[in-house]
Amino acid sequence: MPPLVCLSRPLAFPLDLPGAEIRTGPERGFASRQDALDFVRGCDAFLSWISERINDEFLDAAGPKLKIVANHAVGFDNIDVPACRKRNVVVTITPDAVTEGAADLAWCLLLAAARKLHALEHFARDQTSPHGWKAFGVLGPRDFLGLDIAGKTLLIIGAGRIGYATALRSLGWGMRVLYVARTPKPEFEFAPLNARRVTLDEGLREADFISVHTPLTPETRHLINAGNLKLCKPTAVIVNTARGPVIDEAALAQALKANQLWGAGLDVFENEPTIHPDLLTLDNVVVAPHVGSATHTCRKRMADLCAANIRAVLEGR
């Protein structure tokens, strides 16, 4: 019998899995948890999306043939790795494949928040109401002033691949780079970045721009919270392209409303796809629907890496 490979959702690119039977889940995800459990029964490999929780319940439903869970992501907070390990189920992720796209999006959000792009776009598009550009007329010297980026201080929280790629992009603005990590990172501290390792509190006090790249673990949940948000400059911008729960969303909304921060750019949220309602009312917040890896190149590399991992495990490598 050919191996059965179950895909949580349709992928943007085909998988190179010759000889395998491919079963594909629904475009918008499973209607219920039970649908997901029924779908995975009897599979040899499962290619998971971040919406699927891989735990004992899921592994029981899949059955003893399951050999690999290939997560179509760089994070794996949706997977109970110890539960998989106990059953000799290999868990793989897609490092490197998402690095450039995620770093690009971090800078997209940083620039948009610094220059108030959310408010500017709504103002420019509004050609009918008394609050839009057409009614307002030509802008004056004091209208819609944004933040400078050149020469400012960038704090990277989580000094992995994506954090490093994000920091590299700051060279074009001549920024000073600080980073927070559990251990020293020579690649950050050597040229061309010449970055300095700091504690989280030190970094939040000094930074003009803060970019979050740490994985979600019990230790990093609400790493950014009401207490340490008070340390930030009122002109600081915070960007999160990692995982939503790393930031206490309610505390961030309160800090932004109180002008403790200049702005925020967010691609990830605590309870996706729900966003804290206060964030959606603020003009100093730019939001995106968790699309850090959503480029043609990234998604092609992710699919290829998942396929290579599945082939290796099913072939006993």
Side-chain angles (χ1 to χ4, degrees):
M1 293 291 291
L4 173 61
V5 179
C6 293
L7 316 186
S8 172
R9 298 191 187 204
L11 301 182
F13 296 91
L15 291 175
D16 181 17
L17 291 172
E21 178 187 348
I22 306 293
R23 180 192 296 169
T24 304
E27 181 74 43
R28 301 264 61 87
F30 298 104
S32 68
R33 177 65 168 174
Q34 189 58 51
D35 286 348
L37 299 180
D38 291 341
F39 173 82
V40 78
R41 295 188 195 283
C43 72
D44 297 275
F46 182 67
L47 193 152
S48 54
W49 189 237
I50 55 174
S51 53
E52 268 57 72
R53 289 179 291 108
I54 313 300
N55 54 16
D56 281 316
E57 177 188 49
F58 182 95
L59 297 169
D60 285 341
K65 290 179 62 183
L66 182 66
K67 298 178 182 65
I68 175 173
V69 173
N71 212 31
H72 195 270
V74 69
F76 52 92
D77 46 283
N78 58 311
I79 299 176
D80 185 338
V81 176
C84 291
R85 184 180 294 118
K86 282 190 294 186
R87 300 170 190 243
N88 294 316
V89 173
V90 175
V91 175
T92 65
I93 57 173
T94 59
D96 296 319
V98 308
T99 299
E100 301 303 327
D104 283 349
L105 187 69
W107 268 93
C108 177
L109 294 170
L110 186 155
L111 291 164
R115 296 301 299 269
K116 300 183 175 180
L117 187 60
H118 171 74
L120 290 172
E121 186 183 21
H122 281 278
F123 178 76
R125 285 179 180 274
D126 187 351
Q127 295 282 292
T128 57
S129 83
H131 306 292
W133 191 17
K134 186 173 182 179
F136 188 91
V138 177
L139 295 180
R142 298 191 297 175
D143 296 317
F144 287 113
L145 299 186
L147 294 176
D148 293 306
I149 298 171
K152 299 299 183 179
T153 298
L154 172 66
L155 173 67
I156 300 293
I157 301 175
R161 297 174 180 87
I162 300 172
Y164 183 76
T166 302
L168 275 182
R169 284 155 171 73
S170 74
L171 294 175
W173 280 266
M175 301 181 83
R176 181 173 69 113
V177 177
L178 309 175
Y179 75 97
V180 175
R182 289 175 296 178
T183 58
K185 301 293 182 180
E187 65 272 25
F188 272 78
E189 297 181 14
F190 296 158
L193 290 181
N194 300 307
R196 177 165 60 91
R197 184 176 172 229
V198 294
T199 67
L200 179 60
D201 287 359
E202 287 171 340
L204 293 176
R205 288 191 182 96
E206 293 186 43
D208 300 297
F209 297 93
I210 302 154
S211 194
V212 179
H213 301 284
T214 185
L216 178 62
T217 67
E219 292 75 29
T220 63
R221 184 175 293 273
H222 286 189
L223 181 70
I224 307 297
N225 52 58
N228 54 33
L229 283 170
K230 294 177 182 177
L231 304 176
C232 296
K233 299 176 182 179
T235 53
V237 168
I238 189 164
V239 170
N240 189 8
T241 54
R243 288 291 184 265
V246 175
I247 298 179
D248 182 335
E249 214 164 276
L252 176 61
Q254 183 56 44
L256 289 162
K257 285 198 295 183
N259 295 315
Q260 292 176 1
L261 293 167
W262 172 273
L266 306 171
D267 183 46
V268 289
F269 304 90
E270 282 202 68
N271 300 293
E272 296 175 9
T274 300
I275 301 175
H276 194 287
D278 288 349
L279 291 173
L280 297 177
T281 65
L282 298 172
D283 280 342
N284 57 348
V285 178
V286 181
V287 298
H290 201 150
V291 289
S293 66
T295 72
H296 288 275
T297 300
C298 286
R299 292 287 165 86
K300 176 67 165 60
R301 288 175 176 168
M302 294 168 80
D304 288 346
L305 189 50
C306 284
N309 287 332
I310 290 170
R311 288 197 309 271
V313 170
L314 294 185
E315 293 169 6
R317 295 186 284 113

